[in-house]
Amino acid sequence: MTDDEEHASLLKTRSAEAARLGALYHETPEVANLRLWWGLCYANAMGVCGIVLVALGSTLSALAADCGTTETAVGTVFIARGIGAITGALGSARLYAPPRRGNAVMVVVLLLLSVVLLYMPFVRDVWVLHATWFLLGACTATLDTGCQIMTRKVHGVHAGPWLGANTVCFAIAGALVPLIEIVTGELFAQYATLATISVLNGAALYAAPHPESPDVRALLPPRVGVPGGKDGRHARGPYHLEIIFGGAVFWLIGGKVDCTSYISTYVRQTGVVAASKASLSVLVLWIAITVGRLVGLQDQINLKKQPTRAIFAHLAAWLLTGTVGMFATAVFPAQPWAFWTGVALYGLGNGPCVGYCYDLVNRMTVATEEGMSIVMFGLNFGASLVPYLTTVIWDYTSSGPGVLIWVTLLSMFIPMPLLVAAAMVGKVD
């Protein structure tokens, strides 16, 4: 085959794929309005997860002080949260499977979450602190896994940008936590505000229609997945792609939680910038993450009918942006300009990456409760294990606070080879 013939064949393949996607995306205005209602509810619920995750990291020093210890000495709370997150993520496959109604499960979890949040400022014992982190890990993992499972259920082929919108709300809500901390300066007021938000989201979900109802389910858009293999699974084996993307989000969210939890401690111990700007560093990080996610969401919408390879290329560019930012901070550890540039570029690059991963999962796999639970297991496990490993290296080796920068750098670099593996398994050209 000549180069011209090969080029013509490639164009024909792309045109056929675009035409197929265009047919799948057609729907009535009534169904679109229903999806909008559900989408906003799930995005807001995902925002609660972002609030809790960032609040735990940013208030860890205050919570540890109330228990008579320090944030690095009590780093085992991340293991407690991780065990809870694993329990919640793995149990979600059964919790959200028929005949249970996903919205009802999420309402119960949101109410339980609000109770635990209200109790957090009154914790005075290290073991009780571990127990509350376990409960919060289980609740948030069950909630964010449910958000993604239900998003794929109700949106079908439209789910890609909505999965990205969930992560945007996660980031926006997370960015509000440092602002609440700066404005109130009061631990109880902060957690009371978070509990109130959780209750309001539960009420919004309670009022929403149930997508599992037979008359509603028949109107939902079709789901998309890879054809071939037993029961519609990919010929290379069950859940291979979900495991790979679970590994990618493990590092992406792990680095984000790690940086959120310890960037202020890094500032105070290294003196790279004034200690009074420690809280500002968390705010800058989450503003950059939010901006990145908003830009990434718009990009995902623009790529909605483009071939899957375009998502891979754009995701690689964002990963490279975050890697360059943290590399600059690692190379010039004593320079304030390198610190602020690195934090901003890392947040900007990391922000949209998880959303792109969800989009790829939705495009390349069949939508099942088990498959999404595997991906969310990776996310929740990374949010606990990576920060814990950082505290171990920080406290028990000579590396000191510099380990935070290197671990954060690795968290952006390691997903790149995993992307290559996913493209090979998914046979993306």
Side-chain angles (χ1 to χ4, degrees):
M1 181 181 292
T2 65
D3 290 344
D4 290 341
E5 291 173 335
E6 184 176 355
H7 181 65
S9 176
L10 181 60
L11 289 177
K12 184 177 180 181
T13 301
R14 291 180 178 177
S15 299
E17 183 176 356
R20 180 182 65 85
L21 289 174
L24 288 172
Y25 282 118
H26 178 73
E27 65 178 345
T28 63
E30 293 79 10
V31 175
N33 290 333
L34 269 178
R35 289 196 306 103
L36 177 63
W37 188 352
W38 288 319
L40 292 176
C41 285
Y42 301 145
N44 287 331
M46 198 71 169
V48 174
C49 297
I51 285 175
V52 174
L53 188 64
V54 178
L56 287 178
S58 63
T59 63
L60 178 56
S61 59
L63 293 172
D66 287 343
C67 296
T69 183
T70 64
E71 62 266 38
T72 53
V74 77
T76 47
V77 292
F78 285 105
I79 295 298
R81 185 198 173 278
I83 295 173
I86 292 169
T87 303
L90 294 182
S92 295
R94 287 186 175 274
L95 279 177
Y96 290 98
R100 294 184 185 87
R101 294 188 170 186
N103 287 5
V105 174
M106 293 171 69
V107 169
V108 172
V109 174
L110 283 164
L111 293 178
L112 177 59
L113 191 62
S114 65
V115 172
V116 181
L117 287 171
L118 280 175
Y119 181 67
M120 289 298 293
F122 302 101
V123 175
R124 296 296 182 270
D125 183 81
V126 171
W127 290 107
V128 177
L129 183 65
H130 282 74
T132 55
W133 278 59
F134 169 84
L135 290 173
L136 289 174
C139 288
T140 53
T142 303
L143 186 59
D144 62 23
T145 303
C147 287
Q148 303 302 67
I149 288 174
M150 297 303 296
T151 296
R152 293 190 74 183
K153 274 187 179 181
V154 304
H155 294 296
V157 294
H158 304 270
W162 279 104
L163 292 167
N166 288 348
T167 66
V168 169
C169 286
F170 186 101
I172 292 174
L176 294 177
V177 173
L179 287 176
I180 296 173
E181 181 181 1
I182 292 172
V183 171
T184 63
E186 170 66 37
L187 196 64
F188 175 76
Q190 183 174 349
Y191 275 99
T193 302
L194 305 186
T196 302
I197 294 172
S198 180
V199 171
L200 291 175
N201 275 274
L205 267 174
Y206 182 79
H210 288 289
E212 292 91 350
S213 301
D215 54 334
V216 177
R217 187 173 58 218
L219 302 174
L220 298 180
R223 302 182 188 181
V224 63
V226 181
K230 185 179 179 180
D231 297 329
R233 298 302 305 166
H234 193 277
R236 294 294 293 271
Y239 305 121
H240 285 176
L241 283 167
E242 287 91 338
I243 291 172
I244 293 172
F245 283 112
V249 298
F250 170 95
W251 285 103
L252 290 169
I253 197 70
K256 192 191 330 258
V257 175
D258 196 21
C259 196
T260 300
S261 301
Y262 297 115
I263 192 67
S264 57
T265 306
Y266 173 86
V267 168
R268 287 191 290 267
Q269 290 193 11
T270 62
V272 62
V273 295
S276 59
K277 296 182 180 179
S279 296
L280 180 61
S281 64
V282 180
L283 182 60
V284 169
L285 172 66
W286 275 90
I287 288 175
I289 289 173
T290 304
V291 171
R293 286 190 174 176
L294 289 171
V295 175
L297 176 60
Q298 183 59 51
D299 187 45
Q300 282 183 263
I301 294 172
N302 295 337
L303 296 173
K304 189 175 179 181
K305 297 182 182 180
Q306 296 299 313
T308 303
R309 67 177 69 86
I311 302 292
F312 274 99
H314 288 224
L315 174 54
W318 287 110
L319 287 170
L320 189 60
T321 300
T323 302
V324 169
M326 277 294 106
F327 184 74
T329 306
V331 173
F332 304 102
Q335 299 296 324
W337 67 265
F339 172 77
W340 291 117
T341 302
V343 169
L345 284 179
Y346 167 73
L348 186 67
N350 180 282
C353 287
V354 173
Y356 282 90
C357 288
Y358 289 151
D359 199 345
L360 289 171
V361 169
N362 191 62
R363 286 173 177 242
M364 300 173 69
T365 69
V366 176
T368 64
E369 290 83 5
E370 294 82 1
M372 204 65 217
S373 293
I374 290 172
V375 178
M376 300 307 293
F377 166 79
L379 181 139
N380 286 289
F381 192 37
S384 301
L385 185 60
V386 174
Y388 172 70
L389 291 177
T390 299
T391 63
V392 170
I393 300 172
W394 192 327
D395 276 351
Y396 297 104
T397 70
S398 59
S399 59
V403 66
L404 175 67
I405 304 303
W406 287 104
V407 170
T408 309
L409 171 62
L410 287 175
S411 72
M412 292 299 291
F413 177 79
I414 292 176
M416 294 188 197
L418 292 176
L419 276 188
V420 176
M424 294 174 63
V425 172
K427 298 181 179 179
V428 176
D429 187 5

